Amino acid sequence: RNALAVIDPATKKVVWAYNGLWEKQHSASFLPNGNILLLDNRGHIENRTRFSRVLEINPTTLAIKWSYAGSKEHPFYTHSWGRVQRLPNGNTLITETITSRIFEIDSQGKTVWKYKKSGILNAIRYNAETLTFLKTPDKSTPKGQLP
């Protein structure tokens, strides 16, 4: 239930698994440095209160290399859903479903961008080159039609 596993698609066997540092985790991804980034929905407990956190874990040593759990001024909690994405600039994009908030933090945990709108479940940031269908139409495209 709270396990994280890596499965070899060729053999369909679990080649790595761990359980214990997190609770209701998801949105796990491998980072270029080999670490795993994940959203731990309920694993951070402080003064008998549950909070969410983002963890970057070294899968070899199980050491937590980086974490974000919000602050007293801006607590971070989403008991379910949510998403986390490490951006190319090193910042981290977090979707906090409970408050319908998307925010970007730098490596020190400082919020550098935020957006709030009712009904947000999760978000992923794409660069403009990926979304080729959004290119500005040239003058030959009739008004109101996509290129």
Side-chain angles (χ1 to χ4, degrees):
R1 166 177 133 171
N2 296 321
L4 189 61
V6 176
I7 300 170
D8 180 343
T11 64
K12 298 181 173 124
K13 291 185 179 183
V14 174
V15 294
W16 180 91
Y18 190 76
N19 181 17
L21 295 174
W22 44 76
E23 185 175 336
K24 303 290 184 188
Q25 79 292 340
H26 58 91
S27 192
S29 62
F30 282 101
L31 299 174
N33 64 6
N35 289 345
I36 299 170
L37 184 72
L38 64 87
L39 177 59
D40 177 8
N41 282 103
R42 302 181 196 174
H44 181 66
I45 301 170
E46 192 173 303
N47 297 325
R48 292 193 254 177
T49 302
R50 287 195 179 274
F51 294 96
S52 299
R53 62 186 174 169
V54 176
L55 298 175
E56 180 181 335
I57 301 157
N58 179 315
T60 304
T61 65
L62 300 175
I64 297 174
K65 303 308 272 180
W66 179 85
S67 68
Y68 173 79
S71 64
K72 288 182 181 183
E73 299 82 29
H74 300 286
F76 171 47
Y77 183 66
T78 184
H79 77 277
S80 61
W81 294 81
R83 189 178 213 45
V84 62
Q85 177 189 15
R86 181 64 48 85
L87 302 172
N89 66 1
N91 290 352
T92 303
L93 186 70
I94 301 169
T95 307
E96 185 179 32
T97 303
I98 290 301
T99 62
S100 294
R101 174 174 73 135
I102 306 166
F103 60 104
E104 178 182 340
I105 59 170
D106 64 16
S107 61
Q108 308 305 309
K110 180 183 176 203
T111 301
V112 296
W113 178 87
K114 61 185 173 181
Y115 178 78
K116 187 169 177 154
K117 180 153 177 77
S118 179
I120 294 173
L121 293 179
N122 64 56
I124 300 172
R125 182 171 295 166
Y126 292 97
N127 62 35
E129 293 77 29
T130 305
L131 304 175
T132 57
F133 66 93
L134 293 177
K135 287 184 179 176
T136 305
D138 62 24
K139 304 268 188 243
S140 63
T141 304
K143 190 174 181 179
Q145 293 184 9
L146 294 175

